[in-house]
């Protein structure tokens, strides 16, 4: 069999336990043949399973590293974890840790993702067409910093603690966010087109939340500023508009700005444009 | 001046005459410099220009100013990062280190201080030097960083709101010291010709003419009879010294000479500007009073960039 740059994996059978798919990275698989890929061992609970036992593997006529995975992957975790290039697309639901700590490349999921999607993501682009669970763009358990670079676009809703401890990067959430959105946020930008749950911005130190949809209730630990922010708003809104049409055409009107969380230095800001 | 001119190698070459304007068979000699472009925006073009004029003040020559700087052109709102009117400014210096020093001082004192302004990098490729990186400390801890599309901006609270500055700009290799000498029958004609040439040259992107109004009347030569001076008056082009200097390039009918110095981001930019200037003078014709165009050089031994006037005109084959 000849080597290929891209592969398509079609789920043939659901595993009995959860499977770690972190070894499946487009750039790592590129240059291998179908047989080699099918013999890759994946962690399956506390044992291993060959990829070929779960998936049908085909080569794709790609010129660049690419991986397409099809099927209901809710029992498959860590898809694209640590990814450093190439393109990975999934048609179906996926498990936890989607794109965790990815550094480069692009992941697109046509479905929803479990918890901790894009946690500690450092670069590249991750788009989820469905929902994401709790702690998306947040930190791994025990870690001090959440997402630290790259771009995350979620077209559906997000669970609790969205962007918890986020440090850098840009996030677009087109649906609603759960409780404690942007809690303990250190820096970066989160643009929200929907509603947020309770305690948004709890302990937020720096960073920017852009509310393009309904205006949130402003907590007592946030204070309004009234100065002219049209310059920064022009830069930011143009950038967000390029990422998604929901934020296009915003530069014309400067948003209302509140800063906080005053209980945590107060240098975070909410730009309420909706 | 006769219709013959000596080249630096001593061989005689013919002067080209176009529309009554003689163009010497000589060349302008230019030097490598380091350059950057910054974009200044403001609430309207008046304040953008105010900042740019202040920032490019006292920046005519690296001999004593540290850098050469000028307004490249005005920018419409759709050409600037924040959608406001702006100005593109070019700064040139002899080293990247000096350029960084001048940039920081000038932006700090002239742009940060000017109402409503913001400042951005005007070049993407090249070694990064600080733009807002150190000026942010004016914010005394209240400054905020914002990363947008991979570029870091600093937001410094000031009394009219906030000063936004991109963290760095890029420095590139550039060309400084392109020049034209306009020899005229009198002051009025020399000024009118120089103004027309500068106007034409300002339409060329990537260049500045750093002297007042783009024109310098005190052209210099390297060295002096006084040991402490590195440059002194260009006696060969001083009408007052026609009967006195050991060597003069002027004839009795030349009573005024103006020089236009050009700094450009690339050799091609300087060439294009010099060509535009020559064409503007030629279009006016010799009857307008500028009767001859020459250029300054050091024998071709100092600067690696040689801008031959006849080559710029495409005139070599038609002599």
């Amino acid at each position: 069999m000849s080597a290929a740059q891209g592969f398509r994996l079609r789920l043939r059978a659901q595993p009995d336990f959860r499977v770690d798919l972190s070894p499946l990275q487009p750039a790592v698989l590129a240059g291998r043949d179908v047989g080699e890929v099918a013999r890759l061992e994946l962690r399956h609970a506390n044992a291993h399973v060959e990829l070929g036992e779960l998936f049908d593997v085909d080569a794709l006529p790609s010129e660049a590293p690419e991986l397409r995975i099809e099927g209901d992957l809710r029992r498959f975790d860590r898809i694209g974890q640590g990814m450093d290039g190439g393109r990975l697309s999934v048609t179906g639901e996926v498990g936890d840790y989607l794109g965790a700590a990815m550094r480069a490349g692009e992941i697109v999921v046509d479905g929803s993702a479990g918890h901790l999607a894009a946690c500690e993501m450092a670069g590249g682009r991750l788009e989820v067409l469905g929902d994401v669970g709790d702690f998306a763009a947040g930190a791994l358990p025990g870690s001090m910093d959440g997402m630290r670079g790259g771009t995350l676009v979620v077209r559906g809703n997000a669970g609790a603690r969205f962007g918890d401890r986020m440090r850098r990067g840009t996030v677009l959430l087109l649906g609603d966010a759960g409780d404690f959105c942007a809690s303990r946020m250190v820096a970066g930008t989160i643009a929200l087109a929907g509603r947020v749950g309770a305690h948004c911005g709890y302990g937020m130190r720096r960073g920017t939340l852009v509310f393009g949809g309904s205006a949130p209730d402003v907590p007592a630990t946030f204070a309004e500023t009234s100065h002219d922010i049209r310059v920064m708003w022009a830069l930011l809104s143009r950038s967000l508009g390029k990422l998604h049409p929901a934020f296009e055409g915003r530069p014309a009107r400067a948003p209302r700005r509140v800063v906080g969380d005053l209980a945590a230095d107060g240098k975070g800001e909410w730009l309420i444009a909706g | 001046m006769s219709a013959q001119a000596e080249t630096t190698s001593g061989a005689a070459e013919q002067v080209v005459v176009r529309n009554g304007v003689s163009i010497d068979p000589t060349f302008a000699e230019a030097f490598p410099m380091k350059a950057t472009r910054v974009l200044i925006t403001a609430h309207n073009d008046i304040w953008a220009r105010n900042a740019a004029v202040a920032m490019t003040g006292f920046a005519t020559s690296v001999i004593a100013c540290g850098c050469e700087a000028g307004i490249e052109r005005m920018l419409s709102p759709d050409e600037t990062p924040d959608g406001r009117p702006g100005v593109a400014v070019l700064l040139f210096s002899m080293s990247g280190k000096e350029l960084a020093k001048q940039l920081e001082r000038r932006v700090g004192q002239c742009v940060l201080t000017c109402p409503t302004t913001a400042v951005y990098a005007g070049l993407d490729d090249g070694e990064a030097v600080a733009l807002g990186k150190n000026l942010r400390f004016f914010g005394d801890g209240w400054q905020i960083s914002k990363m947008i599309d991979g570029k870091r901006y600093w937001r410094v609270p000031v009394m009219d709101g906030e000063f936004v500055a991109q963290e760095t700009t890029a420095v590139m290799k550039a060309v400084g010291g392109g020049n034209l000498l306009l020899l005229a029958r009198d002051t009025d004609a020399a000024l009118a010709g120089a103004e027309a040439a500068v106007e034409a040259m300002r339409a060329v992107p990537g260049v500045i003419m750093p002297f007042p109004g783009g024109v310098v009347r005190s052209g210099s030569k390297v060295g002096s009879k006084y040991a402490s001076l590195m440059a002194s008056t260009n006696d060969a082009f001083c009408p007052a010294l026609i009967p006195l200097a050991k060597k003069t390039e002027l004839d009795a009918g030349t009573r005024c000479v103006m020089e236009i110095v050009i700094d450009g981001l690339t050799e091609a930019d300087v060439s294009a500007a010099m060509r535009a200037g020559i064409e503007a003078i030629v279009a006016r014709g010799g009857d307008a009073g500028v009767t001859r165009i020459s250029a300054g050089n050091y024998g071709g031994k100092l600067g690696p960039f040689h801008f031959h006037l006849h080559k710029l005109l495409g005139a070599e084959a038609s002599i």
Side-chain angles (χ1 to χ4, degrees):
Chain A
M1 275 185 248
S2 58
Q5 288 294 306
F7 297 92
R8 181 174 64 175
L9 312 181
R10 282 182 291 189
L11 185 64
R12 196 171 58 232
Q14 285 289 345
D16 296 328
F17 303 102
R18 301 194 76 82
V19 176
D20 177 358
L21 279 193
S22 61
L24 299 186
Q25 301 204 11
V28 174
L29 298 184
R32 301 190 186 191
D33 62 42
V34 169
E36 280 180 279
V37 173
R39 288 192 296 276
L40 274 175
E41 290 206 330
L42 305 171
R43 283 194 63 84
H44 178 223
N46 60 354
H48 288 86
V49 62
E50 283 195 355
L51 179 75
E53 290 184 28
L54 300 173
F55 293 94
D56 292 325
V57 182
D58 301 313
L60 291 172
S62 311
E63 293 184 355
E66 182 182 359
L67 181 61
R68 292 184 205 161
I69 313 177
E70 297 169 6
D72 182 354
L73 303 173
R74 277 177 289 188
R75 289 187 181 178
F76 293 82
D77 298 328
R78 302 182 192 278
I79 294 173
Q81 176 171 305
M83 195 168 120
D84 202 15
R87 187 172 194 281
L88 195 163
S89 58
V90 180
T91 305
E93 316 283 297
V94 301
D96 301 336
Y97 296 100
L98 169 71
M102 73 177 284
R103 296 187 294 274
E106 183 182 37
I107 300 175
V108 177
V109 175
D110 187 356
S112 295
H115 300 311
L116 291 154
C119 66
E120 301 195 13
M121 177 181 177
R125 186 175 191 280
L126 171 53
E127 181 165 4
V128 179
L129 304 189
D131 302 333
V132 293
D134 297 342
F135 287 100
L140 288 166
S143 182
M144 289 295 287
D145 292 329
M147 180 173 167
R148 54 199 69 177
T151 302
L152 168 66
V153 178
V154 179
R155 290 176 180 263
N157 302 317
R161 295 281 184 181
F162 186 66
D164 181 53
R165 289 190 185 275
M166 179 177 167
R167 185 171 193 89
R168 198 174 295 134
T170 304
V171 174
L172 259 68
L173 177 61
L174 302 182
D176 298 336
D179 295 344
F180 288 98
C181 175
S183 58
R184 303 181 291 182
M185 186 175 180
V186 179
T189 302
I190 299 177
L192 303 154
R195 294 165 299 172
V196 292
H199 308 300
C200 180
Y202 172 82
M204 183 178 175
R205 291 169 56 196
R206 295 189 298 274
T208 304
L209 288 186
V210 178
F211 293 90
S214 59
D217 293 331
V218 179
T221 51
F222 281 69
E224 185 144 2
T225 67
S226 57
H227 69 282
D228 191 339
I229 57 163
R230 282 178 292 179
V231 174
M232 180 47 57
W233 177 240
L235 296 172
L236 186 58
S237 58
R238 284 179 171 200
S239 170
L240 296 176
K242 281 187 280 184
L243 289 175
H244 197 275
F247 291 91
E248 273 180 357
R250 298 278 181 181
R253 195 161 63 92
R256 181 180 160 215
R257 180 178 187 262
V258 297
V259 292
D261 184 339
L262 299 177
D265 210 18
K267 288 169 75 174
E269 66 180 350
W270 291 10
L271 303 179
I272 304 169
Chain B
M1 187 72 189
S2 70
Q4 297 283 306
E6 283 291 306
T7 64
T8 53
S9 62
E13 288 185 24
Q14 285 186 309
V15 166
V16 169
V17 180
R18 289 281 170 85
N19 198 18
V21 180
S22 303
I23 296 146
D24 283 3
T26 188
F27 61 91
E29 188 172 353
F31 303 89
M33 296 183 87
K34 291 293 181 70
T36 189
R37 176 193 281 134
V38 295
L39 311 180
I40 301 169
T41 66
H43 190 67
N44 56 38
D45 56 358
I46 294 172
W47 287 105
R49 181 182 280 278
N50 284 342
V53 167
M55 182 183 167
T56 57
F58 187 59
T60 54
S61 169
V62 290
I63 292 174
C65 304
C67 72
E68 297 176 8
I71 292 174
E72 183 188 14
R73 67 188 182 93
M74 299 301 290
L75 302 170
S76 62
D78 58 0
E79 295 177 293
T80 62
D82 59 22
R84 303 190 300 168
V87 183
V89 168
L90 295 177
L91 269 82
F92 296 78
S93 194
M94 298 307 287
S95 70
K97 189 176 175 185
E98 180 65 23
L99 185 72
K101 186 172 97 179
Q102 290 290 331
L103 180 67
E104 192 166 295
R105 282 185 178 179
R106 289 167 183 270
V107 173
Q109 298 304 311
C110 307
V111 183
L112 165 64
T113 56
C114 182
T116 76
T117 57
V119 64
Y120 308 100
L123 296 174
D124 292 326
D125 300 324
E127 181 192 352
V129 295
L131 189 58
K133 186 176 183 179
N134 299 320
L135 297 176
R136 75 178 195 258
F137 294 114
F138 182 72
D140 199 25
W142 298 106
Q143 67 273 16
I144 301 172
S145 155
K146 195 81 220 150
M147 288 283 285
I148 298 175
D149 293 338
K151 296 173 182 171
R152 184 184 295 281
Y153 300 89
W154 285 101
R155 303 163 63 184
V156 181
V158 284
M159 294 193 302
D160 72 351
E162 58 184 17
F163 170 62
V164 175
Q166 194 169 332
E167 178 164 76
T168 59
T169 185
V171 169
M172 64 181 286
K173 290 180 179 174
V175 179
N179 64 82
L180 293 174
L181 291 165
L182 309 182
L183 286 64
R185 67 174 175 235
D186 57 32
T187 305
D188 288 345
L191 280 179
E195 288 167 9
V198 167
E199 186 179 353
M201 295 161 88
R202 281 185 174 148
V204 177
V207 298
I208 57 163
M209 282 60 75
F211 283 95
V215 185
V216 49
R217 59 95 174 262
S218 58
S220 60
K221 67 178 183 295
V222 174
S224 163
K225 68 181 285 186
Y226 305 107
S228 62
L229 295 183
M230 58 193 292
S232 60
T233 193
N234 192 356
D235 41 34
F237 283 91
C238 289
L241 303 179
I242 290 174
L244 300 174
K246 280 184 184 172
K247 182 186 175 193
T248 184
E249 294 284 346
L250 309 181
D251 59 22
T254 303
R255 297 175 57 225
C256 185
V257 179
M258 297 293 179
E259 182 175 355
I260 301 173
V261 172
I262 306 110
D263 297 333
L265 293 180
T266 66
E267 195 174 356
D269 293 337
V270 176
S271 292
M274 289 180 65
R275 186 179 300 114
I278 293 170
E279 288 172 351
I281 296 296
V282 167
R284 288 166 53 82
D287 291 343
V290 176
T291 54
R292 194 177 136 212
I293 300 174
S294 189
N297 62 61
Y298 309 97
K301 294 172 184 169
L302 294 178
F305 303 107
H306 299 164
F307 299 95
H308 292 265
L309 302 186
H310 290 182
K311 281 186 184 173
L312 292 174
L313 268 183
E316 284 183 317
S318 61
I319 294 172

